[in-house]
Amino acid sequence: MKYITYSIGLAMFLSLFFSCGEGRSNAVSLLFPEKPDTTKIPELAIFLEADQLDKIIDEETFLSNGNKRYEGIKAVPQNGDDFRRDSLDEVYWPKASVIEGDFRGASIRSGRCEDGNFRKSDFRVADVRWSIFDGSTMDSINFKQSRLFHVKVNYCNLNNSNFVAANMFGMEGHFAKLRHCNFSGALMKDSEFLDADLTGSKAVKAKLFRAVLLRSHLDSCDFSYADFTGAGLEESTFINSRLWYANFQGGHLQGTNFEGADLKGCNFFGTEFENTNFKGAINIPDAIKPFINDKGLATGIWQKQ
C-alpha cells in the first residue's frame, strides 16, 4: 500500500513538473512566434554616407494632429518644435517641454536637460553625446541610429522607444524604465543600467560588451544573437526571454534568473555562476548541465570548450 501511494505521488509530481516545463516553453514561443530577423538591422550612423543622412533628416513628417512643425528657437523651446540640423551644444533646458520635437541630425552635445519632457520626439541620427536627461519623461522616442555616447537618463521613463542601431556606448540609465523598447543592432558597450526595467524589449544582435545591468529586469525579451561578453548581470532576470545564440562569455551571472528562458546555442564559456537559476529553462547547453543541481541552480565556472 505504501509503495502504491508513493508511485501515485511520484506520477503526480512528474506530471506537474513536465506540464510546468511545457507551459514555460510555450510562453517563449507564444511571445516570439517568428524566428529572430537579423537581416533588416541598419548600420550605425558613423557608417552612413552624407546622402543617406540627408534622406533620413529631410523626410517630411508631421505632428500627431497632422500639423506641420514650427522652426524651433533655442532660447524658447516649445512642444512640436523643429530643430533639425540645429546646433544645440551645451544647451541648458531644465524642465523644458519639447513633446513631439524633431531633432533629426541636430547636435545636442553636453546639454543639460534634466526633468524635462521630450516624449514622442524624433532624435534619429542626432548627436546627443554627453548630455544629461536625468528624471525626464522620454517615452515613445525615436533614437534610431543616434549617438548617445555617455548620455545620462537616470530615473527616466523611456518605455516604447526605438534604439535600433543607436550608439549607446557608456550610456547610463539607473532605475530607468525601458519596457517594450527595440535595441536591435545597438552598440551598448560599457553601458550601465542598474535596477532598470527592460521587460518586453527586443535586442537582436545588440552588443553589450562589459555592460552592467545589475538587478535589472530583462524578462520576456528577445536577446537573440546579443553579445554580453564580460557583462555584469548579477541578480538580473531573464524570465521567459529568448536568448538564441547569445554570448555570455566571461560574464557575471551570480544570482541571475533564467527561469523559463530559451537558451538555444548560448555560449557560457568562462561565465561565473553562483545560485544562477535555470528552473524551467529550455535548450540548456549540455556543457553547463553538470553545474546545475536538483533545485535548478548552478554554481561554478565553465572553463572547458
Side-chain angles (χ1 to χ4, degrees):
M1 184 65 182
K2 185 181 293 185
Y3 175 78
I4 296 174
T5 303
Y6 171 81
S7 300
I8 294 174
L10 179 61
M12 291 177 65
F13 170 79
L14 292 174
S15 176
L16 179 61
F17 177 85
F18 286 112
S19 65
C20 288
E22 182 180 356
R24 291 190 182 281
S25 64
N26 285 337
V28 177
S29 60
L30 287 173
L31 285 167
F32 311 107
E34 305 294 332
K35 293 183 179 180
D37 186 1
T38 63
T39 63
K40 299 178 181 179
I41 299 175
E43 296 181 305
L44 298 177
I46 193 173
F47 299 114
L48 299 180
E49 301 292 339
D51 61 321
Q52 294 176 302
L53 292 170
D54 289 339
K55 184 177 180 181
I56 294 170
I57 298 168
D58 294 334
E59 177 190 2
E60 188 172 17
T61 62
F62 299 90
L63 297 168
S64 58
N65 61 10
N67 293 337
K68 295 186 67 173
R69 291 181 173 85
Y70 290 105
E71 184 176 349
I73 301 173
K74 181 178 179 179
V76 192
Q78 299 182 66
N79 295 336
D81 277 352
D82 186 345
F83 288 104
R84 283 180 293 170
R85 292 192 176 89
D86 281 5
S87 178
L88 302 171
D89 292 345
E90 299 183 358
V91 69
Y92 183 62
W93 282 352
K95 299 183 179 180
S97 182
V98 194
I99 300 172
E100 288 195 72
D102 193 343
F103 296 93
R104 284 176 290 166
S107 180
I108 321 171
R109 295 173 297 182
S110 300
R112 297 294 302 271
C113 308
E114 296 100 319
D115 301 311
N117 192 338
F118 299 89
R119 66 186 313 263
K120 296 186 177 181
S121 290
D122 193 341
F123 282 85
R124 281 179 290 166
V125 298
D127 189 349
V128 200
R129 287 177 285 179
W130 307 295
S131 288
I132 302 174
F133 292 90
D134 291 347
S136 293
T137 299
M138 306 181 74
D139 63 287
S140 308
I141 286 181
N142 193 347
F143 285 112
K144 185 177 180 179
Q145 294 173 292
S146 60
R147 294 178 175 90
L148 301 171
F149 183 91
H150 282 283
V151 166
K152 293 187 177 182
V153 290
N154 298 301
Y155 296 94
C156 287
N157 177 2
L158 290 139
N159 292 338
N160 303 302
S161 291
N162 183 356
F163 294 93
V164 169
N167 184 346
M168 302 170 68
F169 185 106
M171 190 172 180
E172 182 181 298
H174 305 329
F175 298 95
K177 296 178 181 177
L178 294 147
R179 297 171 67 94
H180 306 292
C181 292
N182 192 342
F183 300 95
S184 294
L187 175 61
M188 303 174 73
K189 181 180 179 180
D190 291 337
S191 59
E192 295 184 11
F193 292 96
L194 280 67
D195 297 286
D197 187 359
L198 283 72
T199 299
S201 292
K202 181 179 179 181
V204 176
K205 293 194 74 174
K207 300 173 181 64
L208 297 108
F209 318 133
R210 298 196 307 269
V212 181
L213 294 103
L214 272 67
R215 300 180 300 276
S216 289
H217 293 284
L218 310 163
D219 308 322
S220 303
C221 292
D222 188 358
F223 280 100
S224 296
Y225 305 98
D227 196 335
F228 291 95
T229 298
L233 301 165
E234 295 93 331
E235 299 181 39
S236 59
T237 61
F238 288 90
I239 298 172
N240 290 334
S241 287
R242 182 166 70 179
L243 299 159
W244 287 10
Y245 302 100
N247 184 16
F248 291 94
Q249 184 169 344
H252 307 278
L253 300 176
Q254 294 91 334
T256 305
N257 190 348
F258 289 100
E259 194 169 352
D262 189 342
L263 306 174
K264 179 180 178 181
C266 282
N267 177 17
F268 288 102
F269 179 72
T271 299
E272 297 180 31
F273 300 121
E274 184 178 344
N275 291 324
T276 306
N277 189 350
F278 288 98
K279 295 176 185 176
I282 61 174
N283 296 319
I284 298 174
D286 291 337
I288 67 169
K289 287 181 179 178
F291 295 96
I292 304 174
N293 63 22
D294 56 358
K295 295 181 180 179
L297 305 178
T299 296
I301 302 176
W302 175 41
Q303 296 179 322
K304 294 182 180 180
Q305 290 279 30

